[in-house]
Amino acid sequence: MAEILRAVKGMNDIFPASVPRKASETLPTSNLWQWFEQTARNVLQRYGYQNLMTPIVEPTSLFVRGIGEVTDIVEKEMYSFEDTMNGDKLTLRPEFTAGIVRAVIEHNALYNGPLRLWSTGPLFRHERPQKGRYRQFHQLDVEALGFAGPDTDAEQILLTRTLLRELGLKEGEHIRLEINSLGQPAERAAHRAALVGYFEANAALLDEDSQRRLKTNPLRILDSKNPAMQAMIDAAPKLMAFLGPETMAHFDAVRAVLDAVGLEYRINPRLVRGLDYYNLTVFEWITEQLGSQGTVCGGGRYDGLIEQLGGKPAPAVGWGLGIERLLLLLEAVGVVPPDQAPDAYAVVGGDEARVPAMVAAEALRAAGVSVLQHAAGPEGLPSLKAQFKKANASGARFALVFAGEELARGVVGLKPLRGGEAEQVERPLSDVAAWAAELRNA
Ligand code: ATP
Ligand code: MG
């Protein structure tokens, strides 16, 4: 036998629930995924966000400039390669924002005013694979470009709340919101200077990684998970103390909206986010149910990025939601997607019934009914009993019975498959549209 090929480590196949899963499988089903996407599109539409699609591959320099040279992503997580045809340096996108900003600048898309956009698809980061952390993963990404005021920060947080709620998650019980303000660049510079002084005074307590970060990106020391450094980190100067009245007014205005709609949150002064480009409001939705992969959704304001990538200065705010993590959370708390079984299963009595059954199934599908048709194999059709077994297993609510005697009279048998011993009834094949509604899942 030929050797079996396997998917690249950390990159996954997402199967429907009807395919039995390996005992070791921890990935969500495509049924849950599809329901998530449907729900998300519906919510995004209600908030007036429109879809933008950008390439999966971008010039490496976009991410180096956009995300920042001394971030985990650019330092060690990017899938970068050379185009063997022309030597171009390319990268599989590790996040959405830089590509979206590039597209908006390239097409001068803010010319007519601000934009509310969303995107979804695969992202790539070379990380150690584990539950909720993969090398190819997916995000729903939402960006509002050209909006300066706190209303848009608040709107986006409310959008995330609506989405999480409509997926069946409960705030406080399954997931909670943390927010913070990162201030403006000058305020951060003042804080950074104080922080560097503090860390230098405590240099003996810094581990090797943090020693290095002290020279490159001292703020990242605050993210260190080293237990031996926690007490020292907790006592470090807080950014809040360096934030001026304008920054605080923006933050308070965001909070006023959250308070007015009764959305509870915790202000977490340690919430800094992994990427360099954020300013003012940042937020994360966090769960305790997924171990250390607890951040399901995160984002905030990034007013400097458009100019940094060569565009006319314009403010922006956005967030990304990790789809795999969110779906794992939904499974962990017992959320099941609505029934996706077909409305009807077409049971075919004999060879002469195959074509009429297919014609009727087409008419039913045109009328909005989902029909799974039993397909004849090379040996023809199995017994009606065997087909009914398949019909029951499919989860369909009705069997459509196409058999010789009924067909001769121009009717199809309609047998409810759930709810006990319901009687089979007959419906005319001449006017399928007239009774199709009976089959459709209300
Ligand atoms: P983490 O601290 O968990 O590495 P991050 O700060 O790198 O997260 P972001 O860049 O803010 O993550 O991406 C937004 C969301 O995308 C995360 O909150 C998470 O839900 C998801 N995410 C990030 N990296 C991965 C990954 N490797 N696998 C699966 N989901 C991921
Ligand atoms: Mg990360």
Side-chain angles (χ1 to χ4, degrees):
M1 277 227 292
E3 188 196 348
I4 294 174
L5 300 172
R6 291 179 192 284
V8 174
K9 186 175 172 193
M11 309 201 180
N12 304 304
D13 305 306
I14 304 293
F15 275 96
S18 57
V19 176
R21 291 201 264 178
K22 291 190 279 188
S24 60
E25 183 65 283
T26 58
L27 286 153
T29 64
S30 62
N31 304 62
L32 194 59
W33 200 304
Q34 289 296 309
W35 175 61
F36 162 76
E37 285 194 357
Q38 203 181 320
T39 308
R41 286 201 175 90
N42 183 292
V43 171
L44 289 159
Q45 201 264 338
R46 273 183 277 151
Y47 282 82
Y49 283 74
Q50 294 180 291
N51 181 234
L52 171 68
M53 296 194 283
T54 62
I56 290 178
V57 180
E58 296 276 3
T60 302
S61 55
L62 171 66
F63 302 114
V64 175
R65 270 173 68 188
I67 298 174
E69 213 140 358
V70 281
T71 54
D72 281 352
I73 292 180
V74 173
E75 273 184 346
K76 53 188 185 207
E77 295 176 359
M78 293 209 300
Y79 279 89
S80 297
F81 57 98
E82 244 174 54
D83 185 328
T84 50
M85 302 295 166
N86 59 14
D88 285 354
K89 291 189 164 45
L90 305 175
T91 295
L92 301 181
R93 64 185 180 198
E95 55 112 51
F96 274 107
T97 309
I100 290 174
V101 167
R102 190 236 354 105
V104 163
I105 295 170
E106 185 172 338
H107 295 267
N108 198 17
L110 289 175
Y111 183 74
N112 284 326
L115 290 171
R116 289 180 172 89
L117 299 170
W118 64 269
S119 223
T120 191
L123 303 176
F124 302 84
R125 295 184 193 177
H126 203 284
E127 302 194 70
R128 191 171 68 78
Q130 52 197 292
K131 189 173 179 183
R133 191 176 295 282
Y134 312 102
R135 292 181 174 174
Q136 174 177 315
F137 67 103
H138 298 72
Q139 274 186 9
L140 170 66
D141 182 86
V142 172
E143 313 284 354
L145 303 113
F147 295 93
D151 292 0
T152 309
D153 314 33
E155 171 184 286
Q156 292 210 340
I157 295 173
L158 297 185
L159 200 172
T160 56
R161 174 178 78 156
T162 302
L163 176 59
L164 296 170
R165 275 191 178 175
E166 294 194 7
L167 291 167
L169 293 174
K170 297 199 169 56
E171 300 136 50
E173 189 181 336
H174 304 136
I175 197 149
R176 60 189 168 75
L177 175 66
E178 293 194 346
I179 63 171
N180 190 23
S181 176
L182 298 184
Q184 298 292 14
E187 294 159 340
R188 286 162 74 170
H191 172 240
R192 187 188 150 113
L195 212 52
V196 169
Y198 175 82
F199 287 138
E200 276 167 359
N202 288 283
L205 295 171
L206 297 178
D207 60 21
E208 204 178 310
D209 207 30
S210 299
Q211 299 272 4
R212 190 175 53 81
R213 283 175 173 172
L214 185 54
K215 309 246 154 38
T216 54
N217 194 353
L219 271 174
R220 298 284 285 151
I221 298 175
L222 299 174
D223 291 346
S224 166
K225 308 231 155 63
N226 184 346
M229 288 170 49
Q230 287 317 303
M232 185 271 295
I233 286 174
D234 285 345
K238 308 264 187 303
L239 176 62
M240 274 293 167
F242 296 81
L243 301 182
E246 273 182 40
T247 289
M248 289 317 289
H250 187 103
F251 195 47
D252 291 344
V254 175
R255 293 179 55 193
V257 177
L258 305 186
D259 293 339
V261 299
L263 172 48
E264 283 180 26
Y265 54 85
R266 196 172 78 89
I267 297 174
N268 176 3
R270 287 281 168 248
L271 184 61
V272 292
R273 312 268 316 124
L275 310 183
D276 276 356
Y277 51 58
Y278 288 103
N279 70 315
L280 294 175
T281 320
V282 288
F283 69 94
E284 286 188 352
W285 285 97
I286 295 166
T287 179
E288 316 294 337
Q289 317 256 353
L290 298 177
S292 52
Q293 272 60 253
T295 307
V296 171
C297 172
R301 191 161 269 289
Y302 55 93
D303 293 334
L305 183 63
I306 296 176
E307 183 178 20
Q308 189 179 316
L309 288 176
K312 213 170 122 227
V317 48
W319 49 266
L321 174 148
I323 297 179
E324 285 90 343
R325 269 188 216 180
L326 174 78
L327 301 187
L328 288 172
L329 172 59
L330 293 180
E331 287 192 339
V333 304
V335 171
V336 277
D339 193 357
Q340 292 167 354
D343 296 320
Y345 192 101
V347 168
V348 188
D351 230 14
E352 72 292 344
R354 280 167 53 207
V355 172
M358 284 211 164
V359 171
E362 281 299 281
L364 284 165
R365 291 173 186 136
V369 179
S370 59
V371 184
L372 202 60
Q373 165 119 25
H374 196 95
E379 283 93 41
L381 290 153
S383 70
L384 279 183
K385 193 171 164 218
Q387 291 189 48
F388 264 101
K389 228 176 135 181
K390 292 272 187 211
N392 276 308
S394 77
R397 280 169 301 111
F398 294 93
L400 293 162
V401 189
F402 295 93
E405 190 268 324
E406 283 96 340
L407 276 182
R409 288 189 287 115
V411 299
V412 55
L414 188 61
K415 181 156 175 53
L417 292 174
R418 301 192 208 164
E421 291 298 297
E423 283 293 306
Q424 181 166 324
V425 295
E426 292 180 353
R427 293 288 177 265
L429 282 171
S430 54
D431 191 11
V432 163
W435 51 272
E438 275 182 70
L439 298 181
R440 274 198 304 263
N441 201 348

